[in-house]
């Protein structure tokens, strides 16, 4: 059976990762949560690659660490700190930086990504891209904080130099309940 391409932002984000990552690539999961994206990225970069994964919640590190063990994945550095400090830990250029924004559905909705720190992280991430590399942002804007975050990201990213970066925004305009939007920044070659 044929698989639809444009089902949701996360599905598209994964397709972009598949296109950008190879064995030996370097990726960042800026919001590890339960580790689903971390494992996905780690499998794409293989044993000779590396994933840096960030979260501010201890529970996220515990859940992710378990998921990595279950999947036999070892090429991941788990970092308990905010992605706004990405430059303290990632000292090399990377191929993909993935932000799956918002909060973890089954945990406290108060612990969510915030416009101010997300912007700091994205600005720093721009400096970590090599030619052809991408920042992928999946933005849940159904809640107040997410709306503010989306607007802040649109303001920042609509004004970065088009000679240096390609920036796209994808939204599912016929779906109800504010489905997540996707913004992707690609450093031009
Ligand atoms: C939507 S969840 C991520 C889902 C995750 N990628 C997965 O596969 O389960 C967003 C995560 O961002 C985390 N977070 C919030 N603020 C953060 C920050 N400043 N730096 C890093 N992570 C943050 C939250 O703790 C939460 O776990």
């Amino acid at each position: 059976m044929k698989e639809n391409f444009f089902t949701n932002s996360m599905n598209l984000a994964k397709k972009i990762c598949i296109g950008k990552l190879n064995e030996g690539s370097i990726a960042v999961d800026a919001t590890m949560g339960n580790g689903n994206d971390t494992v996905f990225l780690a499998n794409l970069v293989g044993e000779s690659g590396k994933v840096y994964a960030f979260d501010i919640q201890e529970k996220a590190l515990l859940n992710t660490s378990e998921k990595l063990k279950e999947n036999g994945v070892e090429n991941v550095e788990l970092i308990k700190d905010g992605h706004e400090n990405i430059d303290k830990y990632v000292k090399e250029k990377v191929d993909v930086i993935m932000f799956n924004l918002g909060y973890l559905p089954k945990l406290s909705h108060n612990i969510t990504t915030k416009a101010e720190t997300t912007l700091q992280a994205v600005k720093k991430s721009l400096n970590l891209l090599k030619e052809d590399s991408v920042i992928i942002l999946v933005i849940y804007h159904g809640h107040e904080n997410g709306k503010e975050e989306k607007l802040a990201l649109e303001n920042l990213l609509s004004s970065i130099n088009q000679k240096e970066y390609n920036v796209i925004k994808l939204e599912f305009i016929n779906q109800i309940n504010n489905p997540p939007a996707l913004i992707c920044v690609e450093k031009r070659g």
Side-chain angles (χ1 to χ4, degrees):
M1 198 172 76
K2 281 198 174 178
E3 187 206 353
N4 282 356
F5 207 89
F6 298 111
T7 47
N8 60 58
S9 289
M10 207 49 227
N11 190 29
L12 280 164
K14 286 188 170 169
K15 292 208 182 324
I16 294 166
C17 292
I18 291 167
K20 292 290 181 182
L21 295 173
N22 300 304
E23 177 78 41
S25 296
I26 309 293
V28 175
D29 183 352
T31 49
M32 82 175 79
N34 288 326
N36 300 304
D37 302 327
T38 311
V39 169
F40 175 76
L41 293 169
N43 283 331
L44 289 176
V45 304
E47 278 175 25
S48 60
K50 177 167 180 175
V51 178
Y52 298 86
F54 290 83
D55 209 292
I56 50 174
Q57 295 194 67
E58 186 62 37
K59 184 79 179 129
L61 275 89
L62 287 173
N63 290 355
T64 301
S65 158
E66 234 166 66
K67 200 155 280 165
L68 294 175
K69 269 194 215 120
E70 275 165 26
N71 287 275
V73 175
E74 292 182 348
N75 53 345
V76 179
E77 183 178 337
L78 300 182
I79 301 160
K80 187 173 178 292
D81 200 352
H83 40 225
E84 60 276 18
N85 297 319
I86 189 169
D87 54 329
K88 281 195 195 157
Y89 303 90
V90 183
K91 301 285 185 192
E92 59 186 327
K93 298 281 185 196
V94 306
D95 299 282
V96 165
I97 306 177
M98 162 100 101
F99 291 82
N100 190 348
L101 297 170
Y103 49 80
L104 271 179
K106 286 182 198 151
L107 292 184
S108 164
H109 290 195
N110 293 328
I111 308 178
T112 182
T113 55
K114 297 199 171 68
E116 191 187 337
T117 37
T118 303
L119 282 196
Q120 286 171 14
V122 169
K123 282 182 195 162
K124 288 180 176 178
S125 296
L126 290 171
N127 297 324
L128 291 172
L129 297 181
K130 42 180 134 152
E131 282 180 6
D132 225 28
S133 297
V134 286
I135 300 170
I136 301 168
L137 296 140
V138 177
I139 309 162
Y140 299 79
H141 54 102
H143 57 119
E144 215 33 62
N145 204 72
K147 279 192 187 46
E148 193 192 324
E149 200 170 29
K150 179 167 178 275
L151 199 61
L153 284 165
E154 286 167 351
N155 283 341
L156 171 75
L157 295 174
S158 57
S159 64
I160 62 173
N161 189 344
Q162 72 175 66
K163 291 193 180 132
E164 274 187 79
Y165 302 100
N166 301 317
V167 184
I168 60 144
K169 177 175 78 172
L170 278 161
E171 295 195 71
F172 292 83
I173 58 175
N174 70 336
Q175 287 182 13
I176 58 165
N177 295 334
N178 303 305
L182 180 77
I183 293 185
C184 191
V185 181
E186 179 180 57
K187 186 161 167 101
R188 295 183 63 157

